[in-house]
Amino acid sequence: MFQKVVAMFQYFKQAVPFRLVPALITTAVLVILLLIPTPEGLKPDAWHLVAIFLTTIVAIILKVMPIGVMAMMAIAIVSLSQVTSTSSRGAIADALSSFSSPLIWLIVVAILISRGLKKTGLGNRIGLMFIALMGKRTVGIGYGLMLCELVLAPFTPSNTARGGGIVHPIMKSIANAFDSDPANNTQGKVGTYLALVNYHANPLTSVMFLTATAPNPLVVDFIAKATQQNLHLTWTTWALCMVLPGLVCMLAMPLVIYLLSPPELKATPDAVDYAHKEMARMGPLSGSEKVMLGTFALMLLLWANLPAMIFGPAYNLDPTVVAFVGLFILIITGTLDWDDVLSEKSAWDTLIWFGALVMLAEQLNKLGVIAWFSADMRDAIAASGMGWPSIAATLVLAFVFSHYLFASTTAHISAMMLAFLTVGVHLIPPPYAPPFLLMMAAGSAIMMTLTHYATGTSPIIFGSGYVTMGQWWRAGAVMCVLELMVFAVVGGVWWKVLGLW
């Protein structure tokens, strides 16, 4: 009998299209969570959705099947269980609700546009230029990518457009120039390192400028509300407060990533000569490269809201609208064709898995899970009798690391930040409130480092295949802790020098 059971297990292990042991573990997690009594303050449907969400994350981490399949599983379970609605039609509408999100389509279109850089050869040319300038060592190329992100940040209100739509295609082109390609299993040469630098520059530039990511103005508004308008951050004040700790983090980040995920090619002494020869061989810009370059320039100007600055707010364009305009230009000029759009598998894979995670996060908020969590945290801190430094640290850390539950910084900030700020302002002595408030503002961008679904940029870079999930989460946790420490220490001293506390 035992031998038959073992033989059956071995058969299913080989026959089924998923990893059997991780699948059994994931199923056990779901069953255990469902058997736990519903916590006080939550409705049963809300707790069941928590169980579905956590099980989905476990399935993704254990790699039961490709992440897109796990996302479809979550959509199917939410629809069948009807935890979000009293009818099947309402449940499926909720499960598919996030696919109308402009953010998700911005990610998809950014990936499609980046294909044009590879097809036209412009990406390869830009990559060769970076190698020619800073290519003697891989870490130097990392700093070059970081500087590119920093220069663009003040003028690009969408961090997804900046990091995923502009810098990432350049990073991929540089990696391809070194024959570092996930398709050939050579991503470890330079691609993994450069992809992580590409990504981790994005949260850092987002924290340094008020206009570098969409949720920052919301953070400013919440801080003003929590302090009864006593602290209202302007563009200049925000930049002045964040620039020094931000620059310290940016100087350290490529080196830390170098230690965490060292590239196989560390020194590239012949790379500069190679780059010059290749650029000479390519000759002048081709017509398709010029169209690609002009399209990127137009998109950058529109993402920077230049028309609105000149003609007024009526001409303000959503970043996703700009992305669709750019893609349409590339298609009607023949730079990309419809087959290019259809064959970009990573874009459509990202649409499925990121859309499902955004949906789960939105429904958790809709069913009151986030409000319940925030209220319990607030009450526990108030009753703990902790001193104000411990209260400030607990609030910042709880807010930042709860981002593991979110697939959108805007959703996270909207759901939790004002409650945490209000608790802090009430429990921390007024002279010491400003550093806490500024740490919360910094944390609202630093938390993007944590996961491959943390913000719009992450699924674009993660989806390109250069970084495994384990590498991503490990680097994210390390960089998050390091950056919080830098902002707490360097930022705290800097804000004291500025006379803010």
Side-chain angles (χ1 to χ4, degrees), residues 276-319:
H276 285 299
K277 290 177 183 178
E278 284 295 303
M279 284 191 290
R281 183 185 62 79
M282 292 177 73
L285 286 170
S286 66
S288 61
E289 285 180 284
K290 291 178 181 178
V291 172
M292 195 74 210
L293 194 60
T295 303
F296 262 108
L298 174 64
M299 291 168 63
L300 181 58
L301 292 174
L302 295 178
W303 274 331
N305 284 328
L306 188 63
M309 295 178 189
I310 298 174
F311 302 110
Y315 291 87
N316 185 41
L317 294 176
D318 184 89

mmCIF file of all heavy atoms in Angstrom, residues 276-319:
data_model
loop_
_atom_site.group_PDB
_atom_site.id
_atom_site.type_symbol
_atom_site.label_atom_id
_atom_site.label_comp_id
_atom_site.label_asym_id
_atom_site.label_seq_id
_atom_site.Cartn_x
_atom_site.Cartn_y
_atom_site.Cartn_z
ATOM 1 N N HIS A 276 33.410 52.020 -29.091
ATOM 2 C CA HIS A 276 33.732 52.979 -30.158
ATOM 3 C C HIS A 276 33.710 52.305 -31.530
ATOM 4 O O HIS A 276 33.205 52.872 -32.512
ATOM 5 C CB HIS A 276 35.104 53.614 -29.904
ATOM 6 C CG HIS A 276 35.094 54.641 -28.808
ATOM 7 N ND1 HIS A 276 34.340 55.791 -28.861
ATOM 8 C CD2 HIS A 276 35.757 54.688 -27.620
ATOM 9 C CE1 HIS A 276 34.518 56.514 -27.762
ATOM 10 N NE2 HIS A 276 35.380 55.863 -26.987
ATOM 11 N N LYS A 277 34.254 51.092 -31.624
ATOM 12 C CA LYS A 277 34.273 50.376 -32.900
ATOM 13 C C LYS A 277 32.859 50.033 -33.357
ATOM 14 O O LYS A 277 32.520 50.164 -34.540
ATOM 15 C CB LYS A 277 35.105 49.096 -32.758
ATOM 16 C CG LYS A 277 36.604 49.350 -32.608
ATOM 17 C CD LYS A 277 37.362 48.047 -32.401
ATOM 18 C CE LYS A 277 38.848 48.304 -32.190
ATOM 19 N NZ LYS A 277 39.605 47.044 -31.932
ATOM 20 N N GLU A 278 32.024 49.591 -32.400
ATOM 21 C CA GLU A 278 30.657 49.225 -32.750
ATOM 22 C C GLU A 278 29.852 50.439 -33.206
ATOM 23 O O GLU A 278 29.058 50.356 -34.153
ATOM 24 C CB GLU A 278 29.967 48.553 -31.557
ATOM 25 C CG GLU A 278 30.386 47.124 -31.316
ATOM 26 C CD GLU A 278 29.975 46.222 -32.463
ATOM 27 O OE1 GLU A 278 28.769 46.165 -32.783
ATOM 28 O OE2 GLU A 278 30.864 45.595 -33.069
ATOM 29 N N MET A 279 30.048 51.587 -32.540
ATOM 30 C CA MET A 279 29.326 52.792 -32.950
ATOM 31 C C MET A 279 29.775 53.256 -34.332
ATOM 32 O O MET A 279 28.962 53.731 -35.136
ATOM 33 C CB MET A 279 29.530 53.904 -31.917
ATOM 34 C CG MET A 279 28.704 53.708 -30.643
ATOM 35 S SD MET A 279 28.692 55.146 -29.546
ATOM 36 C CE MET A 279 30.378 55.129 -28.950
ATOM 37 N N ALA A 280 31.073 53.098 -34.612
ATOM 38 C CA ALA A 280 31.567 53.446 -35.950
ATOM 39 C C ALA A 280 30.963 52.517 -36.997
ATOM 40 O O ALA A 280 30.606 52.942 -38.108
ATOM 41 C CB ALA A 280 33.098 53.364 -35.972
ATOM 42 N N ARG A 281 30.837 51.235 -36.649
ATOM 43 C CA ARG A 281 30.256 50.264 -37.582
ATOM 44 C C ARG A 281 28.781 50.560 -37.841
ATOM 45 O O ARG A 281 28.289 50.370 -38.967
ATOM 46 C CB ARG A 281 30.411 48.864 -37.004
ATOM 47 C CG ARG A 281 29.904 47.759 -37.924
ATOM 48 C CD ARG A 281 29.960 46.402 -37.249
ATOM 49 N NE ARG A 281 29.106 46.341 -36.076
ATOM 50 C CZ ARG A 281 27.792 46.163 -36.117
ATOM 51 N NH1 ARG A 281 27.168 46.037 -37.296
ATOM 52 N NH2 ARG A 281 27.077 46.111 -35.014
ATOM 53 N N MET A 282 28.067 51.037 -36.820
ATOM 54 C CA MET A 282 26.642 51.336 -36.969
ATOM 55 C C MET A 282 26.396 52.538 -37.866
ATOM 56 O O MET A 282 25.329 52.652 -38.491
ATOM 57 C CB MET A 282 26.008 51.585 -35.593
ATOM 58 C CG MET A 282 25.947 50.360 -34.705
ATOM 59 S SD MET A 282 25.273 50.727 -33.068
ATOM 60 C CE MET A 282 23.541 50.958 -33.471
ATOM 61 N N GLY A 283 27.350 53.455 -37.926
ATOM 62 C CA GLY A 283 27.198 54.625 -38.774
ATOM 63 C C GLY A 283 26.260 55.657 -38.159
ATOM 64 O O GLY A 283 25.912 55.593 -36.971
ATOM 65 N N PRO A 284 25.783 56.607 -38.965
ATOM 66 C CA PRO A 284 24.889 57.637 -38.434
ATOM 67 C C PRO A 284 23.520 57.063 -38.080
ATOM 68 O O PRO A 284 23.182 55.942 -38.450
ATOM 69 C CB PRO A 284 24.785 58.646 -39.591
ATOM 70 C CG PRO A 284 25.086 57.843 -40.817
ATOM 71 C CD PRO A 284 26.079 56.792 -40.401
ATOM 72 N N LEU A 285 22.732 57.870 -37.389
ATOM 73 C CA LEU A 285 21.387 57.450 -36.988
ATOM 74 C C LEU A 285 20.541 57.102 -38.213
ATOM 75 O O LEU A 285 20.515 57.856 -39.197
ATOM 76 C CB LEU A 285 20.688 58.558 -36.209
ATOM 77 C CG LEU A 285 21.137 58.819 -34.767
ATOM 78 C CD1 LEU A 285 20.500 60.101 -34.244
ATOM 79 C CD2 LEU A 285 20.768 57.649 -33.869
ATOM 80 N N SER A 286 19.841 55.979 -38.135
ATOM 81 C CA SER A 286 18.922 55.603 -39.208
ATOM 82 C C SER A 286 17.604 56.359 -39.047
ATOM 83 O O SER A 286 17.361 57.005 -38.012
ATOM 84 C CB SER A 286 18.666 54.093 -39.161
ATOM 85 O OG SER A 286 17.966 53.750 -37.969
ATOM 86 N N GLY A 287 16.750 56.270 -40.060
ATOM 87 C CA GLY A 287 15.456 56.941 -39.987
ATOM 88 C C GLY A 287 14.602 56.434 -38.842
ATOM 89 O O GLY A 287 13.967 57.224 -38.120
ATOM 90 N N SER A 288 14.578 55.109 -38.641
ATOM 91 C CA SER A 288 13.768 54.553 -37.556
ATOM 92 C C SER A 288 14.317 54.954 -36.184
ATOM 93 O O SER A 288 13.543 55.173 -35.242
ATOM 94 C CB SER A 288 13.709 53.028 -37.672
ATOM 95 O OG SER A 288 15.005 52.461 -37.583
ATOM 96 N N GLU A 289 15.641 55.079 -36.093
ATOM 97 C CA GLU A 289 16.231 55.528 -34.827
ATOM 98 C C GLU A 289 15.840 56.973 -34.539
ATOM 99 O O GLU A 289 15.561 57.336 -33.392
ATOM 100 C CB GLU A 289 17.756 55.410 -34.876
ATOM 101 C CG GLU A 289 18.294 54.002 -34.751
ATOM 102 C CD GLU A 289 19.804 53.969 -34.806
ATOM 103 O OE1 GLU A 289 20.357 54.107 -35.914
ATOM 104 O OE2 GLU A 289 20.439 53.810 -33.742
ATOM 105 N N LYS A 290 15.805 57.798 -35.564
ATOM 106 C CA LYS A 290 15.412 59.195 -35.382
ATOM 107 C C LYS A 290 13.959 59.298 -34.929
ATOM 108 O O LYS A 290 13.616 60.114 -34.063
ATOM 109 C CB LYS A 290 15.631 59.976 -36.676
ATOM 110 C CG LYS A 290 17.097 60.174 -37.036
ATOM 111 C CD LYS A 290 17.241 60.907 -38.366
ATOM 112 C CE LYS A 290 18.717 61.078 -38.736
ATOM 113 N NZ LYS A 290 18.891 61.750 -40.056
ATOM 114 N N VAL A 291 13.097 58.461 -35.531
ATOM 115 C CA VAL A 291 11.689 58.455 -35.107
ATOM 116 C C VAL A 291 11.589 58.023 -33.642
ATOM 117 O O VAL A 291 10.848 58.624 -32.846
ATOM 118 C CB VAL A 291 10.859 57.515 -35.999
ATOM 119 C CG1 VAL A 291 9.440 57.348 -35.429
ATOM 120 C CG2 VAL A 291 10.793 58.050 -37.422
ATOM 121 N N MET A 292 12.338 56.984 -33.284
ATOM 122 C CA MET A 292 12.323 56.491 -31.907
ATOM 123 C C MET A 292 12.811 57.568 -30.951
ATOM 124 O O MET A 292 12.217 57.800 -29.887
ATOM 125 C CB MET A 292 13.226 55.255 -31.809
ATOM 126 C CG MET A 292 13.044 54.431 -30.558
ATOM 127 S SD MET A 292 11.531 53.481 -30.607
ATOM 128 C CE MET A 292 11.145 53.419 -28.850
ATOM 129 N N LEU A 293 13.892 58.238 -31.312
ATOM 130 C CA LEU A 293 14.452 59.289 -30.464
ATOM 131 C C LEU A 293 13.480 60.452 -30.333
ATOM 132 O O LEU A 293 13.262 60.984 -29.231
ATOM 133 C CB LEU A 293 15.774 59.772 -31.067
ATOM 134 C CG LEU A 293 16.680 60.632 -30.181
ATOM 135 C CD1 LEU A 293 17.092 59.875 -28.921
ATOM 136 C CD2 LEU A 293 17.922 61.066 -30.956
ATOM 137 N N GLY A 294 12.860 60.843 -31.451
ATOM 138 C CA GLY A 294 11.900 61.945 -31.404
ATOM 139 C C GLY A 294 10.673 61.591 -30.576
ATOM 140 O O GLY A 294 10.145 62.438 -29.838
ATOM 141 N N THR A 295 10.227 60.332 -30.676
ATOM 142 C CA THR A 295 9.076 59.896 -29.882
ATOM 143 C C THR A 295 9.393 59.937 -28.395
ATOM 144 O O THR A 295 8.576 60.395 -27.586
ATOM 145 C CB THR A 295 8.659 58.468 -30.292
ATOM 146 O OG1 THR A 295 8.369 58.446 -31.691
ATOM 147 C CG2 THR A 295 7.446 58.015 -29.507
ATOM 148 N N PHE A 296 10.574 59.476 -28.031
ATOM 149 C CA PHE A 296 10.979 59.523 -26.624
ATOM 150 C C PHE A 296 11.071 60.965 -26.131
ATOM 151 O O PHE A 296 10.660 61.276 -25.005
ATOM 152 C CB PHE A 296 12.329 58.825 -26.431
ATOM 153 C CG PHE A 296 12.191 57.416 -25.941
ATOM 154 C CD1 PHE A 296 12.444 56.356 -26.777
ATOM 155 C CD2 PHE A 296 11.804 57.146 -24.638
ATOM 156 C CE1 PHE A 296 12.311 55.048 -26.338
ATOM 157 C CE2 PHE A 296 11.666 55.859 -24.182
ATOM 158 C CZ PHE A 296 11.919 54.793 -25.034
ATOM 159 N N ALA A 297 11.616 61.855 -26.954
ATOM 160 C CA ALA A 297 11.727 63.259 -26.552
ATOM 161 C C ALA A 297 10.343 63.869 -26.338
ATOM 162 O O ALA A 297 10.112 64.593 -25.359
ATOM 163 C CB ALA A 297 12.498 64.042 -27.619
ATOM 164 N N LEU A 298 9.418 63.573 -27.248
ATOM 165 C CA LEU A 298 8.046 64.076 -27.109
ATOM 166 C C LEU A 298 7.404 63.541 -25.833
ATOM 167 O O LEU A 298 6.765 64.296 -25.080
ATOM 168 C CB LEU A 298 7.222 63.668 -28.329
ATOM 169 C CG LEU A 298 5.726 63.997 -28.269
ATOM 170 C CD1 LEU A 298 5.519 65.511 -28.214
ATOM 171 C CD2 LEU A 298 4.989 63.387 -29.468
ATOM 172 N N MET A 299 7.560 62.235 -25.592
ATOM 173 C CA MET A 299 6.973 61.636 -24.392
ATOM 174 C C MET A 299 7.565 62.240 -23.124
ATOM 175 O O MET A 299 6.844 62.486 -22.143
ATOM 176 C CB MET A 299 7.184 60.117 -24.414
ATOM 177 C CG MET A 299 6.370 59.399 -25.482
ATOM 178 S SD MET A 299 6.891 57.680 -25.717
ATOM 179 C CE MET A 299 6.515 57.015 -24.098
ATOM 180 N N LEU A 300 8.861 62.473 -23.126
ATOM 181 C CA LEU A 300 9.501 63.058 -21.948
ATOM 182 C C LEU A 300 8.953 64.452 -21.672
ATOM 183 O O LEU A 300 8.654 64.805 -20.519
ATOM 184 C CB LEU A 300 11.019 63.111 -22.152
ATOM 185 C CG LEU A 300 11.841 63.686 -20.993
ATOM 186 C CD1 LEU A 300 11.609 62.898 -19.709
ATOM 187 C CD2 LEU A 300 13.322 63.695 -21.344
ATOM 188 N N LEU A 301 8.767 65.255 -22.715
ATOM 189 C CA LEU A 301 8.214 66.602 -22.538
ATOM 190 C C LEU A 301 6.782 66.541 -22.015
ATOM 191 O O LEU A 301 6.388 67.343 -21.157
ATOM 192 C CB LEU A 301 8.266 67.363 -23.866
ATOM 193 C CG LEU A 301 9.660 67.731 -24.391
ATOM 194 C CD1 LEU A 301 9.550 68.354 -25.772
ATOM 195 C CD2 LEU A 301 10.371 68.680 -23.430
ATOM 196 N N LEU A 302 5.999 65.597 -22.541
ATOM 197 C CA LEU A 302 4.616 65.469 -22.086
ATOM 198 C C LEU A 302 4.549 64.906 -20.674
ATOM 199 O O LEU A 302 3.708 65.311 -19.870
ATOM 200 C CB LEU A 302 3.829 64.583 -23.055
ATOM 201 C CG LEU A 302 3.647 65.134 -24.477
ATOM 202 C CD1 LEU A 302 2.903 64.135 -25.348
ATOM 203 C CD2 LEU A 302 2.909 66.470 -24.447
ATOM 204 N N TRP A 303 5.417 63.943 -20.349
ATOM 205 C CA TRP A 303 5.468 63.415 -18.985
ATOM 206 C C TRP A 303 5.898 64.488 -17.986
ATOM 207 O O TRP A 303 5.524 64.452 -16.824
ATOM 208 C CB TRP A 303 6.413 62.221 -18.916
ATOM 209 C CG TRP A 303 5.764 60.915 -19.275
ATOM 210 C CD1 TRP A 303 4.443 60.586 -19.108
ATOM 211 C CD2 TRP A 303 6.388 59.767 -19.848
ATOM 212 N NE1 TRP A 303 4.208 59.297 -19.542
ATOM 213 C CE2 TRP A 303 5.379 58.768 -20.005
ATOM 214 C CE3 TRP A 303 7.695 59.463 -20.244
ATOM 215 C CZ2 TRP A 303 5.651 57.503 -20.530
ATOM 216 C CZ3 TRP A 303 7.963 58.208 -20.769
ATOM 217 C CH2 TRP A 303 6.952 57.243 -20.915
ATOM 218 N N ALA A 304 6.706 65.438 -18.460
ATOM 219 C CA ALA A 304 7.140 66.544 -17.599
ATOM 220 C C ALA A 304 6.080 67.634 -17.483
ATOM 221 O O ALA A 304 6.308 68.662 -16.842
ATOM 222 C CB ALA A 304 8.437 67.144 -18.135
ATOM 223 N N ASN A 305 4.910 67.424 -18.118
ATOM 224 C CA ASN A 305 3.788 68.373 -18.065
ATOM 225 C C ASN A 305 4.143 69.741 -18.646
ATOM 226 O O ASN A 305 3.636 70.770 -18.190
ATOM 227 C CB ASN A 305 3.280 68.536 -16.624
ATOM 228 C CG ASN A 305 2.445 67.356 -16.186
ATOM 229 O OD1 ASN A 305 1.751 66.738 -16.978
ATOM 230 N ND2 ASN A 305 2.533 67.024 -14.904
ATOM 231 N N LEU A 306 4.996 69.745 -19.662
ATOM 232 C CA LEU A 306 5.393 71.012 -20.274
ATOM 233 C C LEU A 306 4.204 71.761 -20.878
ATOM 234 O O LEU A 306 4.089 72.980 -20.687
ATOM 235 C CB LEU A 306 6.473 70.765 -21.333
ATOM 236 C CG LEU A 306 7.111 72.035 -21.926
ATOM 237 C CD1 LEU A 306 7.853 72.816 -20.833
ATOM 238 C CD2 LEU A 306 8.078 71.671 -23.043
ATOM 239 N N PRO A 307 3.287 71.106 -21.601
ATOM 240 C CA PRO A 307 2.126 71.861 -22.127
ATOM 241 C C PRO A 307 1.301 72.527 -21.032
ATOM 242 O O PRO A 307 0.837 73.666 -21.203
ATOM 243 C CB PRO A 307 1.308 70.783 -22.849
ATOM 244 C CG PRO A 307 2.292 69.717 -23.193
ATOM 245 C CD PRO A 307 3.269 69.705 -22.049
ATOM 246 N N ALA A 308 1.133 71.816 -19.897
ATOM 247 C CA ALA A 308 0.364 72.396 -18.789
ATOM 248 C C ALA A 308 1.081 73.596 -18.194
ATOM 249 O O ALA A 308 0.443 74.569 -17.776
ATOM 250 C CB ALA A 308 0.117 71.333 -17.720
ATOM 251 N N MET A 309 2.407 73.525 -18.142
ATOM 252 C CA MET A 309 3.178 74.659 -17.615
ATOM 253 C C MET A 309 3.030 75.892 -18.494
ATOM 254 O O MET A 309 3.002 77.025 -18.016
ATOM 255 C CB MET A 309 4.669 74.285 -17.513
ATOM 256 C CG MET A 309 4.979 73.185 -16.517
ATOM 257 S SD MET A 309 6.755 72.794 -16.548
ATOM 258 C CE MET A 309 6.780 71.318 -15.511
ATOM 259 N N ILE A 310 2.932 75.673 -19.820
ATOM 260 C CA ILE A 310 2.873 76.800 -20.760
ATOM 261 C C ILE A 310 1.442 77.308 -20.959
ATOM 262 O O ILE A 310 1.177 78.510 -20.913
ATOM 263 C CB ILE A 310 3.479 76.387 -22.126
ATOM 264 C CG1 ILE A 310 4.954 76.015 -21.950
ATOM 265 C CG2 ILE A 310 3.323 77.517 -23.142
ATOM 266 C CD1 ILE A 310 5.593 75.453 -23.205
ATOM 267 N N PHE A 311 0.498 76.363 -21.149
ATOM 268 C CA PHE A 311 -0.849 76.738 -21.542
ATOM 269 C C PHE A 311 -1.887 76.602 -20.433
ATOM 270 O O PHE A 311 -3.045 76.978 -20.636
ATOM 271 C CB PHE A 311 -1.290 75.895 -22.751
ATOM 272 C CG PHE A 311 -0.385 76.025 -23.940
ATOM 273 C CD1 PHE A 311 0.418 74.961 -24.336
ATOM 274 C CD2 PHE A 311 -0.324 77.212 -24.656
ATOM 275 C CE1 PHE A 311 1.252 75.069 -25.431
ATOM 276 C CE2 PHE A 311 0.514 77.340 -25.756
ATOM 277 C CZ PHE A 311 1.309 76.264 -26.143
ATOM 278 N N GLY A 312 -1.503 76.043 -19.292
ATOM 279 C CA GLY A 312 -2.444 75.925 -18.193
ATOM 280 C C GLY A 312 -2.847 74.487 -17.920
ATOM 281 O O GLY A 312 -2.571 73.579 -18.715
ATOM 282 N N PRO A 313 -3.510 74.252 -16.780
ATOM 283 C CA PRO A 313 -3.837 72.882 -16.341
ATOM 284 C C PRO A 313 -4.768 72.116 -17.267
ATOM 285 O O PRO A 313 -4.836 70.891 -17.198
ATOM 286 C CB PRO A 313 -4.500 73.112 -14.970
ATOM 287 C CG PRO A 313 -4.949 74.545 -14.968
ATOM 288 C CD PRO A 313 -3.959 75.267 -15.824
ATOM 289 N N ALA A 314 -5.484 72.811 -18.135
ATOM 290 C CA ALA A 314 -6.372 72.110 -19.069
ATOM 291 C C ALA A 314 -5.592 71.202 -20.010
ATOM 292 O O ALA A 314 -6.150 70.266 -20.595
ATOM 293 C CB ALA A 314 -7.191 73.118 -19.877
ATOM 294 N N TYR A 315 -4.301 71.463 -20.174
ATOM 295 C CA TYR A 315 -3.464 70.673 -21.085
ATOM 296 C C TYR A 315 -2.627 69.630 -20.351
ATOM 297 O O TYR A 315 -1.692 69.067 -20.915
ATOM 298 C CB TYR A 315 -2.547 71.598 -21.898
ATOM 299 C CG TYR A 315 -3.301 72.446 -22.896
ATOM 300 C CD1 TYR A 315 -3.846 73.666 -22.527
ATOM 301 C CD2 TYR A 315 -3.488 72.010 -24.206
ATOM 302 C CE1 TYR A 315 -4.562 74.441 -23.429
ATOM 303 C CE2 TYR A 315 -4.195 72.784 -25.127
ATOM 304 C CZ TYR A 315 -4.725 73.994 -24.726
ATOM 305 O OH TYR A 315 -5.431 74.749 -25.630
ATOM 306 N N ASN A 316 -2.959 69.383 -19.109
ATOM 307 C CA ASN A 316 -2.271 68.339 -18.346
ATOM 308 C C ASN A 316 -2.699 66.961 -18.863
ATOM 309 O O ASN A 316 -3.892 66.693 -19.017
ATOM 310 C CB ASN A 316 -2.617 68.473 -16.863
ATOM 311 C CG ASN A 316 -1.834 67.495 -16.011
ATOM 312 O OD1 ASN A 316 -0.651 67.272 -16.238
ATOM 313 N ND2 ASN A 316 -2.495 66.914 -15.034
ATOM 314 N N LEU A 317 -1.748 66.085 -19.149
ATOM 315 C CA LEU A 317 -2.039 64.766 -19.695
ATOM 316 C C LEU A 317 -1.641 63.680 -18.708
ATOM 317 O O LEU A 317 -0.556 63.738 -18.111
ATOM 318 C CB LEU A 317 -1.294 64.546 -21.015
ATOM 319 C CG LEU A 317 -1.710 65.424 -22.200
ATOM 320 C CD1 LEU A 317 -0.812 65.148 -23.402
ATOM 321 C CD2 LEU A 317 -3.172 65.183 -22.567
ATOM 322 N N ASP A 318 -2.495 62.687 -18.551
ATOM 323 C CA ASP A 318 -2.164 61.544 -17.718
ATOM 324 C C ASP A 318 -0.989 60.787 -18.349
ATOM 325 O O ASP A 318 -0.906 60.674 -19.579
ATOM 326 C CB ASP A 318 -3.381 60.622 -17.614
ATOM 327 C CG ASP A 318 -3.140 59.460 -16.675
ATOM 328 O OD1 ASP A 318 -3.408 59.617 -15.478
ATOM 329 O OD2 ASP A 318 -2.692 58.397 -17.146
ATOM 330 N N PRO A 319 -0.063 60.256 -17.530
ATOM 331 C CA PRO A 319 1.095 59.532 -18.085
ATOM 332 C C PRO A 319 0.715 58.377 -19.000
ATOM 333 O O PRO A 319 1.413 58.095 -19.985
ATOM 334 C CB PRO A 319 1.820 59.023 -16.830
ATOM 335 C CG PRO A 319 1.453 59.995 -15.759
ATOM 336 C CD PRO A 319 0.043 60.408 -16.071
#
